[in-house]
Amino acid sequence: MMPMFRRRPRRHVPALNTTSTADISFMLLIFFLVTSSMDTDKGLPRQLPPQEPEQMEETQDIHQRNILTVRLGADDRITCGDETLDVRQLQARVETFVRNEDNDPAMPEKTLKQIPFLGRCAVTDKHIISIEADRAASYNAYFEMQNGIIAAYHHLRDELSRRKFGYPYEQCTQEERQSIMQYYPQRISESLPVAQEGGGR
């Protein structure tokens, strides 16, 4: 007679408790958002609209001595007048133009202003750096040109800060920076290059 085997009762696997899963997922999401870095596009934080007819009329009233025209050609060549410049030469040209140390009549006219912390000063606050960039120029060349012009303003302001306050521009208070910016205001204008005869751009 064969022995009788007794069936063992089946054990039920307990259900997984998922009550806190949503909380854990939320905490992990917050963790990754806080610790991860996201790449951002590099570029110039400015978008200049095309010149309106009224603005063009106002520009014509500006004395020519106050305007420094910088052109960027389709071949990425930077010119100022008939002279070809690299970025460092452009920075030096802008600094000389904006500073007008000897009050040259061929450079920006100076006006007397009462500026906090600096007193009564003769400043070239009517100057304009006029940029004309060809649409075919590369963005890298355009960015380097803009960077050279901005570097000129930064160097002028840092130079003035060290002379007047004894420390660099980056260490100035907000009020001191405002005064320095009144002495060296950043005045940059951009327009489309004039089309050349014979079907030019």
Side-chain angles (χ1 to χ4, degrees):
M1 189 174 181
M2 295 181 67
M4 299 291 293
F5 291 97
R6 191 174 180 181
R7 288 187 176 183
R8 296 180 181 179
R10 291 184 178 180
R11 295 182 180 180
H12 295 282
V13 178
L16 182 63
N17 186 4
T18 59
T19 306
S20 60
T21 303
D23 295 334
I24 295 174
S25 300
F26 182 74
M27 292 174 64
L28 287 173
L29 177 63
I30 296 298
F31 173 78
F32 284 116
L33 285 175
V34 171
T35 58
S36 62
S37 60
M38 298 182 182
D39 294 333
T40 56
D41 294 334
K42 296 181 180 179
L44 297 169
R46 79 165 64 109
Q47 183 176 359
L48 301 175
Q51 241 182 355
E52 298 294 338
E54 295 81 3
Q55 293 177 329
M56 294 179 68
E57 292 177 3
E58 292 177 2
T59 304
Q60 292 175 357
D61 295 335
I62 300 174
H63 294 162
Q64 192 61 37
R65 61 177 288 188
N66 292 328
I67 303 175
L68 179 66
T69 302
V70 179
R71 294 183 176 88
L72 178 64
D75 55 355
D76 293 345
R77 193 163 53 98
I78 301 173
T79 58
C80 191
D82 297 328
E83 186 178 357
T84 300
L85 308 173
D86 58 26
V87 176
R88 288 188 177 181
Q89 292 171 329
L90 174 62
Q91 177 180 341
R93 175 67 64 87
V94 172
E95 288 182 23
T96 302
F97 181 79
V98 175
R99 186 188 288 116
N100 191 10
E101 191 170 7
D102 300 326
N103 199 14
D104 190 333
M107 290 189 177
E109 56 187 317
K110 293 194 172 187
T111 55
L112 291 175
K113 291 185 67 175
Q114 186 69 29
I115 302 177
F117 300 107
L118 303 179
R120 193 168 178 80
C121 309
V123 298
T124 57
D125 58 346
K126 295 181 181 180
H127 78 273
I128 293 178
I129 308 299
S130 178
I131 297 174
E132 295 180 3
D134 195 292
R135 291 183 182 276
S138 68
Y139 181 78
N140 285 338
Y142 176 80
F143 184 81
E144 288 179 2
M145 177 189 66
Q146 289 270 9
N147 196 39
I149 295 173
I150 299 301
Y153 281 104
H154 185 273
H155 183 260
L156 287 171
R157 290 172 178 177
D158 188 72
E159 185 181 65
L160 178 63
S161 175
R162 292 176 185 274
R163 188 169 68 248
K164 293 293 185 180
F165 304 132
Y167 41 82
Y169 178 74
E170 296 297 333
Q171 296 180 10
C172 289
T173 64
Q174 186 63 31
E175 293 77 12
E176 291 170 342
R177 290 191 182 191
Q178 290 294 332
S179 297
I180 292 176
M181 285 190 289
Q182 288 185 51
Y183 193 98
Y184 285 128
Q186 182 176 299
R187 294 171 58 83
I188 302 174
S189 173
E190 186 165 357
S191 60
L192 295 175
V194 178
Q196 298 177 352
E197 296 181 1
R201 296 182 184 273

